[in-house]
Amino acid sequence: MVSAPTVPEALDDVDIANAEAFRRLDAADPWVVDVAPARDVIPGYTDDLVLTSGAPMAWEDYVGGQREALIGGALFEGLAATREEAVEGFASGRIRVGACHDYGAVGSLAGIYTASMPVFVVENRALGNVGFCNFYEGKEPRRLNYGCYDEGVHERLLHVNTVLAPVVGEAIRRTGGVPLKSLIARALRMGDEVHSRNAAASMLFNREILPAVLDMVRDDVPGVRETMVHLAENDYFFLRLSMAAAKVSADAMVVPGSTLVSAMAFSCRGFAIKLAGLGDRWFEGPPPVHEGKLFAGHSEDEITWMGGESPITETVGLGGFAQACALTLQEYQGGSAAVMIERNEQMYEITQGESSTYRIPLFDFRGTPTAIDARKVLATGITPVMDVGLAGRDGGQIGAGIIRAPRECFELAMTAFEAAL
C-alpha cells in the first residue's frame, strides 16, 4: 500500500483552479444530437479498433469477462472468424484494443465499442466539446458488456445496429437534439439518480422524441413501432445518455492546477481516477470495495470485475451522489433508506460544491454534492460511493449494489500532483 502523502494546506492557486473547474462543470449544457456508427463520428476511429473500459492496458493484461467481451466484439465486427483467431489478432496487434476515455467515450461495464456499433453523440453547447456512449443492448442479463457473446447476443447487437439505433437517431435529428441537463434534473425529482435508476429519465426522453416519432410513422419509416416498444420496456435505456452527458460535462473540467476528479473507471485489474489538473494521467488502485444484493441463485464468490465507466455519473454529482433521490433502489441493490441518505450526505464532505441544476428534494432541494476533491478524500477518509450492477465470473449480471473507490488512487494522484507543483 502506498503511504498517504501529506495533504497540503489550501493554496490560493489550487483553490482558484478548483473554482474554475467546478464552474465549467456546473455550466455544462449537454445535448444529444445524433446516433451513428462509431467509425463515422468518433475522431480517429478505425475498423480494426475495439474499445473497452478503464485505464489503458496491453492486451495480455485483460482477463476474465473483460477479455471475453473484447473477443466477442472482434467476432461481432468480423475482425476474426473464431475465438482463437481473435486472440491471435489482439496478440499480434492486427486487432487493436483501446481505452474508451482516450476517444472521448465511456462504456458501461466492459464497455465494448466496435466500428459498426452505434453511439450517442452528445455535445456540450456551453464549451463545444463532444462525447459518446454506446447504445443499450437491452435488459437480457447476458450481454456483451457483461462479458457474454453467443448467438443470442450477436442477434441482439445486430438488431440494435440495423433497427433500433437508426430509428432513435432519426428521431433525435428530426427533433433537433434533446437537452439532457434539464431532463436529468426533472428525473431526479421523479425518483431517479440516473445511474442505477433511469425509469423516469427514459420516459421523459421518449416524450421528447414523440412528435418526431409520430411524423416518422406518417412517413412509413421502418422499425418505428418496434423501437418505441423496446424503449418503453427498458428502463435502463437512458443510462447511456446520462453517461455521455456526464462525460462531456466532466471533460470540460480540465484546468491546470485543479485537484478535482475528472474521471473514475475500473477494469478487470482495478479502479482508477483522473485529476482535472493532470490531464490524461490515470492513477490506479485495487478493485473497489463493494456491497450489494445478488439475484436469486447467485453467491458472493461469483462477483468479478470486468470494467465499468458508468461512475462518470458520480464524477459530476449524479448516481450515488444523488442516491437520496432514488430510495426505491434499496429493493434492487439492498441496504436501507437511512443508509442511503447517510451515504449521500457524506459526499458533501468531499466535494467542491453543489450543483445549481441537479437537486435533491429530500434535502429541501439542496444541490447534489458535485466535483470530488482528492484533497478532501484524503483529509476526511471518506471515499466516493457509486451505484453499480454486479457481474458474474461466468458472464452476465448477477446483482446490483454500491462500490467505494479505493483510497490508494487518491494517494497516488495527490503524490503526483504535489510533484507537479
Side-chain angles (χ1 to χ4, degrees):
M1 176 179 290
V2 179
S3 59
T6 301
V7 180
E9 294 296 321
L11 303 173
D12 287 344
D13 55 344
V14 176
D15 289 341
I16 291 170
N18 283 351
E20 174 60 16
F22 178 84
R23 185 195 68 78
R24 293 187 181 194
L25 170 60
D26 196 49
D29 185 19
W31 285 60
V32 59
V33 296
D34 204 357
V35 177
R39 64 159 67 92
D40 295 344
V41 290
I42 298 181
Y45 209 104
T46 54
D47 286 348
D48 62 345
L49 178 64
V50 182
L51 297 184
T52 192
S53 293
M57 298 194 301
W59 160 248
E60 56 269 20
D61 293 330
Y62 290 101
V63 297
Q66 191 163 19
R67 183 183 179 93
E68 293 304 312
L70 283 164
I71 292 169
L75 292 172
F76 174 75
E77 195 60 32
L79 298 173
T82 65
R83 186 182 187 284
E84 293 71 25
E85 190 177 318
V87 171
E88 183 280 326
F90 282 117
S92 68
R94 179 179 59 80
I95 306 173
R96 297 190 302 128
V97 60
C100 293
H101 272 281
D102 286 348
Y103 289 82
V106 279
S108 176
L109 267 293
I112 301 301
Y113 286 60
T114 66
S116 69
M117 288 182 180
V119 299
F120 289 105
V121 182
V122 174
E123 63 180 29
N124 176 7
R125 293 192 171 176
L127 198 65
N129 59 307
V130 180
F132 312 93
C133 191
N134 51 357
F135 207 90
Y136 181 54
E137 295 175 52
K139 58 187 176 181
E140 167 63 44
R142 290 184 60 80
R143 304 193 293 271
L144 183 63
N145 72 319
Y146 272 89
C148 300
Y149 186 75
D150 54 27
E151 185 175 348
V153 173
H154 177 91
E155 290 303 315
R156 286 190 291 275
L157 290 171
L158 194 61
H159 191 61
V160 167
N161 280 18
T162 58
V163 179
L164 305 181
V167 169
V168 175
E170 176 67 12
I172 290 171
R173 290 189 293 272
R174 290 191 183 208
T175 302
V178 176
L180 298 177
K181 194 170 189 177
S182 57
L183 191 158
I184 291 170
R186 184 169 187 185
L188 296 184
R189 298 195 295 272
M190 296 170 66
D192 283 357
E193 40 71 270
V194 297
H195 187 165
S196 279
R197 191 180 192 277
N198 290 272
S202 295
M203 289 188 291
L204 291 171
F205 175 77
N206 294 348
R207 190 181 71 169
E208 288 288 327
I209 64 172
L210 181 59
V213 168
L214 294 176
D215 288 344
M216 291 163 66
V217 171
R218 178 201 62 199
D219 296 341
D220 291 325
V221 175
V224 174
R225 183 184 185 281
E226 183 179 356
T227 299
M228 294 311 294
V229 169
H230 173 84
L231 266 59
E233 291 178 345
N234 285 278
D235 289 347
Y236 262 92
F237 176 82
F238 190 83
L239 172 59
R240 306 307 176 89
L241 286 164
S242 68
M243 288 172 61
K247 172 62 174 168
V248 294
S249 302
D251 281 355
M253 296 171 65
V254 177
V255 174
S258 173
T259 58
L260 303 187
V261 174
S262 59
M264 298 191 291
F266 54 98
S267 67
C268 55
R269 184 166 67 185
F271 197 87
I273 67 169
K274 288 183 180 181
L275 293 189
L278 295 178
D280 287 331
R281 293 179 62 182
W282 286 98
F283 301 96
E284 298 183 63
V289 178
H290 73 277
E291 57 183 85
K293 181 178 179 180
L294 299 178
F295 299 155
H298 295 284
S299 57
E300 284 278 331
D301 63 328
E302 294 180 62
I303 296 173
T304 189
W305 305 109
M306 59 178 67
E309 293 174 335
S310 52
I312 194 68
T313 55
E314 279 81 7
T315 307
V316 303
L318 297 168
F321 286 58
Q323 201 171 87
C325 290
L327 298 183
T328 55
L329 275 178
Q330 61 191 287
E331 183 180 19
Y332 175 55
Q333 64 185 28
S336 68
V339 170
M340 293 171 73
I341 292 167
E342 181 182 3
R343 286 192 194 117
N344 205 150
E345 289 176 329
Q346 273 192 332
M347 297 301 100
Y348 287 103
E349 299 184 46
I350 60 171
T351 46
Q352 170 71 15
E354 300 176 14
S355 173
S356 63
T357 303
Y358 304 140
R359 299 181 180 276
I360 302 176
L362 189 63
F363 296 165
D364 295 326
F365 289 92
R366 185 179 183 183
T368 64
T370 302
I372 301 157
D373 187 343
R375 296 179 302 175
K376 293 181 179 180
V377 171
L378 296 184
T380 63
I382 298 169
T383 52
V385 65
M386 292 151 275
D387 298 328
V388 297
L390 298 174
R393 60 170 175 254
D394 297 322
Q397 183 178 4
I398 64 168
I402 65 101
I403 59 173
R404 282 192 180 266
R407 179 183 172 90
E408 289 89 336
C409 298
F410 299 91
E411 293 171 344
L412 289 170
M414 284 307 302
T415 297
F417 183 84
E418 291 174 33
L421 289 178

